[in-house]
Amino acid sequence: MFTLFARKLAGAKTVLTRATILPFLVRCGIALCGLVAMAVAWPQAMLGSQFFVPLALVAIYPAVAPRGRGATFAALAVVAGWLVDTVMEDAAVSLWRVLTIATALYLGHSLTALAAVLPYDAVVNVDVVGVWLARALTVVLISAVLTVAILGLTADLAGSAFLVATLVGLVGAAGATLLIARLVRRV
């Protein structure tokens, strides 16, 4: 047992001494996004308590091991926190919280995908990470603008016509997903 721990500690020391700046900053971005998403999603009373420590560790884990299922588990923990806060604690759903959580989860997931293929000791051009972040931020910006615009329309279009349009949209999305899955299986 002690030998395994000593080997892991030596491996961590090697990783820290060989790590280059951009892969390290990508992993710091993953940790920051995870912490922001956890802090905004869970009830505010938990932030200063000892119960936030395990949540913070779950949020940081994808930065340490981006190739595993840690990012999925962290995202599910954020969603669970959102549900605890809005359903059990009866907190008001505010637009800034929804957009912050969505942004942090998307950026964290995107950076985790980059870190999964980027070795910790790789020499990387700044343009690679810059273009990756620019694309992710463009998606976030377009999504936020569309979310605000659609929320504005829902107040005007409330009623049975809006419900029918929503159901048709969901059926269309499900149909497109099935079609893509079928085409992928053919190849």
Side-chain angles (χ1 to χ4, degrees):
M1 182 72 163
F2 181 73
T3 309
L4 178 66
F5 181 71
R7 237 182 303 146
K8 291 287 185 181
L9 193 60
K13 182 181 175 188
T14 303
V15 166
L16 288 175
T17 57
R18 293 185 58 193
T20 56
I21 190 70
L22 281 178
F24 180 73
L25 288 176
V26 166
R27 291 166 192 257
C28 287
I30 295 167
L32 179 66
C33 288
L35 286 172
V36 166
M38 285 288 186
V40 173
W42 283 87
Q44 297 300 315
M46 288 191 66
L47 289 180
S49 71
Q50 73 272 18
F51 299 114
F52 191 71
V53 173
L55 292 174
L57 292 175
V58 168
I60 292 171
Y61 182 71
V64 176
R67 289 190 181 113
R69 302 209 188 281
T72 302
F73 187 69
L76 289 174
V78 169
V79 170
W82 174 256
L83 290 174
V84 165
D85 194 32
T86 56
V87 176
M88 294 177 66
E89 299 289 326
D90 203 27
V93 177
S94 57
L95 183 61
W96 75 269
R97 286 183 67 199
V98 172
L99 291 178
T100 302
I101 291 170
T103 299
L105 284 177
Y106 183 77
L107 287 178
H109 187 268
S110 181
L111 288 173
T112 302
L114 177 61
V117 297
L118 191 64
Y120 62 89
D121 58 351
V123 177
V124 181
N125 194 354
V126 176
D127 294 348
V128 172
V129 177
V131 169
W132 190 282
L133 277 175
R135 287 180 182 168
L137 289 172
T138 302
V139 169
V140 166
L141 180 64
I142 290 169
S143 298
V145 168
L146 287 176
T147 299
V148 171
I150 289 173
L151 284 175
L153 286 175
T154 58
D156 298 336
L157 299 177
S160 60
F162 184 69
L163 179 62
V164 169
T166 302
L167 292 175
V168 168
L170 287 173
V171 168
T177 303
L178 290 173
L179 178 65
I180 290 170
R182 185 174 179 193
L183 291 174
V184 167
R185 268 190 259 132
R186 279 186 174 178
V187 174

